[in-house]
Amino acid sequence: MKVEIMDTTLRDGEQTSGVSFTDSEKLTIAQLLLEELNIDRIEVASARVSEGELKGATKILNWASQNGFLDRVEVLGFVDKNISVDWIKNSGGKVLNLLCKGSRKHCEGQLKKTVEQHLTDIAETVDYAHGQGLIINVYLEDWSNGMRTSPDYVDTMIEGLQTMPIKRIMLPDTLGILNHKESYDFCKAMTTKFPQAHFDFHAHNDYDLSTANVYAALEAGIYGVHTTLNGLGERAGNVALSSVIGIVKDHLHLDMQVDETKLYKVCKIVESFSGVRIPGNKPLIGEFVFTQTSGIHADGDSKDNLYHNSLSPDRFGRSYSYALGKMSGKANIKKNLEELGIELSKEDTKKITERIIELGDKKETITKEDLPFIINDVLRSEKIEQHVIIKNYSLSVAQGLKSMATLSIQIGGKTYEKTAAGDGQYDAFMNSLTAIYDDFGRKLPKLIDYEVQIPPGGETDALVITSITWENGKKFKTRGLDPDQTVAAIKATIKMLNIIENHK
């Protein structure tokens, strides 16, 4: 059985508190979903919401029409005769996802209508949409509550819908109330009573059961699943595409056409657009999920990959790493040193391990890129030299004016000085630094992520940790610690410069 995925990041996911994508971001996400991940279908907008929604949908649909994806781009509409249909037609759309009521409580309480009256209204909208050449799917909003409290209402609705030109009936757990047992029973009732219908399952995560509920729905014979990237969505969010990939392929052994090698890349882009961080331990896409922390695990991996499972990082365009901290053993250190191309004796490795454990006990964060500095500190060796030293810098900020930075820096024994403007003090500092490196024909690594952490409840003079991720052929991270955020970022940058100088 092939599982069909519809991703709703651009419609349901944008209901996440504080998330609003620009038109260009929406188009980029649509292109990534369809071209990179090869998602079967995407839902991109709600009809009648705003002029901005219409503009964004039109941009996506125009691109989809020109590139052969129009049948795979869908828009949510409402039972309003011709209004939603005309909105979708005007935006260039071809697929209507019609929102109907899936429980008697919603039908009678919100619409003040009987199921028969609601079906009559639905038929009127469906007939008009069909006459306009649209493909029509139907959402049964609050279907999960309908199955709990009014299953006869749900049956009547589906029986009525099957007399209309509707392609799919979509079953939402709108309030995320189901558990896996109910999901199986309710979905099995649908596939048994209505074997000719094409059902989708739409899971919300209010009880943190959305992945288990999707598993149960697939076992019950549902073969359409709705997801969002990074689990975005209203309240606790929707089921994440990353979680669905794991259960579909590795547990249920079903087919799906998603290109999982592009998953991490796309999820990180959406993280950037949405401003919602992916939890570090989020399966498949979290920063730490392919990181071994225990020295015992690192030792087992060195001998025969004893602590690997079928979720190998290369499947998702990623790689294993080995954390440095109080749980580290010699195997962790050895693996990180190998990646850096540094060889140490057993005695020196033991000394470095002891220092890293000591730092970990003090809750200090250590990265692979910190190792050369730790080695230099512990062994007092010449293995790592400080090729780059800041001699002096001056930063200024004034309301209504660009920030300015003057930088004097020593590289390989020679001193260079530049002044530059920027959007903020750190940007001005980086522009000065870039100008210096440009003078001798070298490019700096690309800054791809910038994260600031302060202690919970920290005062204005609290220490700040600034973590910067760079890319120079491969990604690496440096950190700086200082009460001033900009100075902490500068310290992280100087670490980066010494890393690339030593590598060179």
Side-chain angles (χ1 to χ4, degrees), residues 228-247:
T228 61
L229 295 171
N230 305 345
L232 294 176
E234 196 170 20
R235 304 183 312 278
N238 294 30
V239 69
L241 173 63
S242 52
S243 300
V244 170
I245 287 175
I247 63 169

Side-chain angles (χ1 to χ4, degrees), residues 94-110:
K94 192 173 179 180
V95 184
L96 162 67
N97 290 340
L98 187 62
L99 189 68
C100 305
K101 300 302 180 183
S103 68
R104 178 174 283 114
K105 183 177 181 180
H106 268 222
C107 184
E108 295 178 355
Q110 192 170 33

Side-chain angles (χ1 to χ4, degrees), residues 40-55:
D40 296 280
R41 300 148 49 211
I42 64 173
E43 190 174 53
V44 301
S46 298
R48 300 167 36 200
V49 169
S50 67
E51 285 301 313
E53 190 86 339
L54 177 61
K55 185 179 176 183

Side-chain angles (χ1 to χ4, degrees), residues 133 246 293 382 433 439 470-471:
T293 301
E382 297 303 315
L433 181 62
D439 279 353
W470 312 89
E471 188 168 42

Side-chain angles (χ1 to χ4, degrees), residues 102-103 140 142-152 154-155 158 169-174 176-195 199-202 213 216-222:
S103 68
L140 288 181
D142 201 40
W143 165 83
S144 49
N145 262 319
M147 290 299 290
R148 276 185 175 181
T149 62
S150 52
D152 57 322
V154 175
D155 289 351
I158 295 177
I169 298 174
M170 305 190 286
L171 311 174
D173 182 14
T174 304
I177 61 171
L178 296 181
N179 60 49
H180 62 289
K181 291 181 179 179
E182 289 176 304
S183 296
Y184 178 85
D185 290 343
F186 294 166
C187 290
K188 192 65 176 177
M190 296 293 95
T191 57
T192 301
K193 290 179 182 177
F194 308 103
F199 290 112
D200 284 3
F201 183 67
H202 182 104
N213 291 342
L218 291 168
E219 281 200 311
I222 303 290

